[in-house]
């Protein structure tokens, strides 16, 4: 069975960067936005629309477990959304079958539980996440600290609802992960090698 690493992360914690660096060091496949692209390709739905569906709170009368067949509905909007969620589940499974890999978010830890993935959660305090968001802001993005804090809170809220809805587990609850990493006052680049070495001992 392939070696699988999944990373869940608070917004602004540096989890995406850390995941990418770990994958590069371990020389394994890395999947993040590539999952959205694959869903769009397979479903024939625009990539931006797929992204908007995945990143918002699920509709509450979908089944509460990934992997079940979605109920047929007369509402075409709900049918389309169900198709996207189903494609995501299938694609993540396919990627895990292909090779050793690291996947970012999208309930991959739960979807791939039969693969016994190494489940990592990345977090940081509010000030550290605010500073990292400032550093990574696009040139044309000029948000105040208050606006950034609202953005962080909203994105984390949506991630938690999405995860809780589809898995029945609590997002960020330490019991659901093998390794929780606090990136507060730490540079992601400096963490990459020691974390990768630790991951090796836990996986191989």
């Amino acid at each position: 069975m392939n070696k699988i690493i999944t990373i869940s992360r608070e917004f602004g914690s540096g989890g995406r960067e850390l995941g990418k660096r770990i994958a590069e060091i371990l020389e394994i496949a890395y999947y993040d936005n590539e999952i959205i692209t694959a869903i769009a390709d397979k479903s024939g739905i625009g990539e931006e629309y797929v992204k908007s569906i995945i990143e918002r709170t699920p509709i509450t009368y979908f089944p509460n477990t990934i992997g079940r067949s979605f109920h047929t509905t007369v509402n075409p909007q709900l049918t389309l959304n169900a198709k996207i969620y189903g494609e995501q589940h299938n694609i993540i499974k396919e990627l895990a079958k292909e090779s050793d890999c690291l996947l970012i978010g999208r309930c991959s830890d739960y979807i791939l539980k039969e693969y016994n993935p190494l489940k990592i959660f990345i977090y940081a305090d509010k000030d550290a996440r605010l500073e990292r968001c400032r550093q990574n802001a696009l040139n044309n993005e000029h948000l105040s600290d208050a606006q950034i804090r609202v953005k962080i809170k909203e994105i984390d809220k949506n991630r938690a609802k999405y995860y809780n809805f589809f898995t029945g587990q609590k997002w960020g609850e330490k019991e659901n992960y093998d390794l929780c990493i606090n990136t507060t006052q730490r540079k992601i680049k400096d963490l990459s090698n020691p974390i990768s070495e630790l991951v090796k001992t836990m996986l191989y």
Side-chain angles (χ1 to χ4, degrees):
M1 187 174 288
N2 292 327
K3 306 296 184 183
I4 309 296
I5 304 166
T6 63
I7 290 186
S8 301
R9 78 282 186 216
E10 293 181 335
F11 185 70
S13 65
R16 174 176 288 157
E17 180 187 349
L18 182 57
K20 192 166 188 177
R21 288 180 179 275
I22 291 172
E24 288 173 352
I25 292 169
L26 298 183
E27 298 182 334
I28 62 175
Y30 169 85
Y31 299 113
D32 182 10
N33 290 328
E34 294 85 353
I35 297 171
I36 293 176
T37 301
I39 293 170
D41 289 344
K42 289 205 170 188
S43 65
I45 301 168
E47 195 167 322
E48 285 302 314
Y49 183 81
V50 171
K51 186 176 181 181
S52 72
I53 294 299
I54 288 176
E55 292 181 351
R56 75 185 185 201
T57 305
I59 297 167
T60 54
Y61 37 93
F62 278 172
N64 62 2
T65 304
I66 289 182
R68 290 186 189 178
S69 297
F70 289 105
H71 299 298
T72 304
T73 173
V74 295
N75 187 321
Q77 183 69 47
L78 300 187
T79 302
L80 187 58
N81 293 356
K83 182 178 181 180
I84 290 172
Y85 293 127
E87 288 290 0
Q88 174 176 267
H89 175 268
N90 294 336
I91 286 165
I92 286 174
K93 287 265 193 176
E94 289 172 9
L95 293 173
K97 290 176 183 177
E98 288 178 2
S99 66
D100 295 349
C101 63
L102 184 149
L103 301 99
I104 301 291
R106 300 178 179 86
C107 301
S108 52
D109 58 333
Y110 183 81
I111 293 171
L112 300 175
K113 58 185 178 181
E114 65 194 70
Y115 286 78
N116 193 28
L118 179 65
K119 298 170 288 187
I120 302 175
F121 188 81
I122 311 295
Y123 67 101
D125 68 25
K126 292 179 180 179
D127 289 340
R129 288 189 283 153
L130 173 64
E131 181 59 31
R132 192 169 280 117
C133 287
R134 275 206 217 99
Q135 293 173 358
N136 295 333
L138 300 174
N139 291 332
N140 62 347
E141 188 177 41
H142 304 288
L143 300 179
S144 67
D145 285 0
Q147 289 172 317
I148 294 173
R149 290 185 189 278
V150 169
K151 182 179 179 180
I152 290 171
K153 185 176 180 180
E154 185 66 23
I155 290 175
D156 279 354
K157 180 180 177 182
N158 285 338
R159 285 178 179 173
K161 284 185 176 181
Y162 182 91
Y163 184 85
N164 299 349
F165 178 84
F166 281 109
T167 69
Q169 299 176 166
K170 187 174 180 181
W171 182 77
E173 189 77 28
K174 63 181 183 296
E175 288 82 2
N176 295 329
Y177 305 95
D178 302 302
L179 185 61
C180 296
I181 301 170
N182 184 353
T183 60
T184 302
Q185 295 183 344
R186 295 175 174 88
K187 292 182 179 179
I188 300 302
K189 185 177 180 180
D190 295 340
L191 287 172
S192 302
N193 282 311
I195 294 299
S196 296
E197 288 301 315
L198 177 59
V199 165
K200 282 182 185 179
T201 65
M202 299 177 76
L203 271 179
Y204 299 98

